[in-house]
């Protein structure tokens, strides 16, 4: 069966990805997105950006040291892709470096070997968040036209204070996390899946931080 030429797929830009990573990404994303390959060489990257107009970037960091993440920063500070989500591909022994990765502009990460379902979920989640961010920026720009006080108040009521549910059976993990977040958000917590589900019926949370490994009911079951 031939592909329908009228179907336009979202373009994802793969930068400096290794052949095996390309194979795994194509298996996970090839049927849903147009994958475009390039390198960080100035001409390659700039020319590809103009041609592909990607919605998301996947970048492989071969070296978890400083040079790899500095390259990530160069990508995220490129004027042509400054607002695009960047998902980095790393090895399992590089996960501890991701605090630096986020500082350098990465939005999320995936650990090799890549699992198709996880790849699709992470990419889809980043695209949804990017879409929501664009919508918020559009609303913010509308305020530049001096909206009425009633409009501002209605907007503030709709946004309200962000609420976060933290679910973890380990109190040593739960308490520090809730204390850090409580400075900026309204926090609820639960130490098991049943209590977490009960809270979701009482409140509408903006985000849930959910432990996977819990007794009786796992985080996956709760989700």
């Amino acid at each position: 069966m031939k592909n329908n030429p009228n179907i336009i797929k979202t373009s994802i830009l793969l930068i400096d990805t290794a052949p095996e990573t390309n194979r795994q990404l194509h298996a996970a994303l090839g049927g849903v997105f147009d994958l475009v390959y390039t390198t960080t060489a100035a001409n390659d990257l700039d020319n590809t950006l103009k041609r592909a107009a990607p919605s998301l970037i996947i970048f492989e960091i071969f070296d978890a040291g400083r040079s790899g993440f500095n390259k990530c920063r160069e990508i995220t500070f490129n004027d042509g892709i400054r607002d695009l989500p960047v998902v980095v591909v790393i090895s399992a022994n590089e996960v501890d470096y991701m605090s630096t990765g986020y500082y350098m502009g990465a939005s999320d990460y995936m650990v090799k070997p890549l699992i198709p379902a996880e790849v699709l979920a992470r990419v889809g989640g980043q695209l949804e968040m990017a879409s929501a961010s664009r919508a918020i920026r559009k609303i913010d720009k509308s305020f530049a036209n001096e909206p009425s006080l009633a409009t501002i108040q209605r907007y503030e009521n709709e946004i309200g204070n962000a609420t976060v549910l933290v679910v973890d059976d380990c109190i040593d993990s739960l308490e520090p996390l809730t204390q850090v977040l409580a400075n900026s958000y309204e926090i609820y917590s639960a130490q098991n899946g049943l209590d977490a589900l009960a809270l979701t019926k009482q409140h509408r949370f903006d985000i849930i931080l959910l432990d996977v490994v819990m007794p009786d009911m796992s985080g996956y079951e709760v989700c």
Side-chain angles (χ1 to χ4, degrees), residues 5 13 28 56 63 70 72 82 84 100-101 111 129-130 137 143 149 189-191 196 218:
L13 183 61
L56 180 139
D63 177 12
N70 280 343
C72 180
R82 185 183 295 270
L84 297 183
T100 301
V111 179
M129 285 192 286
R137 287 197 295 271
F143 285 143
L149 179 60
S189 63
Q191 289 185 256
S218 72

Side-chain angles (χ1 to χ4, degrees), residues 152-206:
I152 294 175
Q153 289 175 336
R154 184 170 67 251
Y155 175 73
E156 290 177 342
N157 289 336
E158 289 176 355
I159 299 300
N161 294 323
T163 58
V164 180
L165 172 61
V166 183
V167 187
D168 197 323
D169 63 297
C170 178
I171 193 67
D172 290 337
S173 299
L174 184 66
E175 285 189 348
L177 186 57
T178 54
Q179 288 173 3
V180 169
L181 294 173
N183 293 325
S184 304
Y185 309 104
E186 184 177 358
I187 304 298
Y188 293 80
S189 63
Q191 289 185 256
N192 60 69
L194 290 177
D195 288 347
L197 292 175
L199 284 170
T200 62
K201 295 179 180 178
Q202 300 170 20
H203 308 278
R204 183 168 183 173
F205 296 104
D206 294 286

